[in-house]
Amino acid sequence: MSSPSSGVVNGGISYWYADDGLPATVREPLDGDASADVVIVGGGYTGLWTAYYLKKAAPFLRITVLEQKFCGYGASGRNGGWLYNGIAGRDRYAKLHGHEAAVRLQRAMNDTVDEVIRAAETEGIDADVHKGGVLEVACTPAQAARLKAFHEAEQAYGEKDRELYGARETAERIRVAGAVGSAWTPHGARLHPVKLVKGLAAAVERLGVTIHESTPVTEITPRHATTPYGTVRAPHVLRCTEGFTASLKGQKRTWLPMNSSMIATEPLTDEQWESVGWAGRETLGDMAHAYMYAQRTADGRIALGGRGVPYRFGSRTDNDGTTQAATVEALREILVRFFPSLAGLRIEHAWSGVLGVPRDWCATVTLDRSTGLGWAGGYVGSGVATANLAARTLCDLVLRDSGQGGRTDLTDLPWVNHRVRRWEPEPLRWLGVQGMYAVYREADRRERATHSAGSSRLARIADRVSGRS
């Protein structure tokens, strides 16, 4: 009898591309030196949304997007399809700029979920969006305590429309084995990442933006983006490379490329869905230290992710999403622990991708007015929505710098022009990240075994060492 994990399609970029198809044609690479008003490095969500809003606001701008593979090759085509209101670094921004500034940032993120849905509808992009909110479950006493604290913190940041559930109410939404409680926010939606990024790239081209694919940028300097095929010169050069930033000259220690992995099951039968629930199609997460994330896909599968092998030595990135067998099995074990009735369900696809992690775990948007260099990213896994807010903010910053606009609510948000120190050199970087996630996994194991009501001291130590707290 074959294992539920045998015959897995491993890599191939992601299940989302297996479902929707790889691009039929790749856009032409750069064919020599060129000039533009704005050059954007990176053809993922951040770069494409930035081009979209800039061109909408100032149609006369000559905008060029440079992408090393094809649009959506990176995290934008491999993520879990969580369009939600989480943002990395909010608590730190509250400490640096005050509580009200962080409330403004959170309110902007809440609105961003609806902005992405609105823009997709306006451009005729069918990305399988279903706004069912986000449900995060607790399965141990320690997780329940963290859940309650998390729920209260979100309310303190102005999210008054969220709800806290006990075991019975949680089971009425999704029947997660052993769940003792959950918290739900309406500010979240499930979507198909590749359908969104493909549609966005097409929309940007319709507006008149030039996209060059198969054009890796090797170095960014003031007013120059250098590639093997030529240099594009522009007053503004915007780095939108997220987890691939380390591949640029001089950027090896800027953001750490954190690895995240996913599996997708075969489609569930009606009877299997009845055993699980999930009629609301919420995105699903948990309160573990090494947390999971999942969605019920439009074609009736469960797509579930977690950290797997979190980091590759020397800030290396993967090869087209190939994932270690041990990671696939670890994710399958999470699936079965959550839904024991699905123990025999076949895993059909596995893949991985990288996301950008700054040293202080804070997402940022920056434009240096003295050099024209800008960047956005460091989303730490919350990039599907955050990339849109970052892009609109970059747009406003460029318009202000070029005399086409002034200060806006977005340019005054506390994450604008935030600076952070670089990551440690190797091997300290590798040892630190590997050790951190080993500690988180052990903390989760101990909490499940002991049923202690308090979070493991191991996790609190890892939080302090990593810079997350």
Side-chain angles (χ1 to χ4, degrees), residues 138-153 286-290 440 443-444 447 452-456 459-460 463:
C139 295
T140 68
Q143 289 184 19
R146 288 197 294 274
L147 178 76
K148 185 173 184 294
F150 167 73
H151 177 74
E152 291 172 351
D286 73 349
M287 299 305 295
H289 300 292
Y440 284 143
D444 287 329
E447 289 177 2
S452 169
S455 292
S456 169
R460 293 197 295 271
D463 283 344

Side-chain angles (χ1 to χ4, degrees), residues 1-9 15 263-269 272 300-303 328-329 332 335-336 341-350:
M1 183 176 177
S2 63
S3 161
S5 297
S6 63
V8 175
V9 176
Y15 162 72
I263 56 173
T265 70
E266 63 181 319
L268 277 66
T269 64
Q272 287 171 324
R301 305 169 190 267
I302 295 176
V328 178
E329 183 59 26
R332 192 191 73 82
L335 174 72
V336 174
S341 65
L342 304 182
L345 194 65
R346 191 169 66 252
I347 307 302
E348 290 196 343
H349 210 117

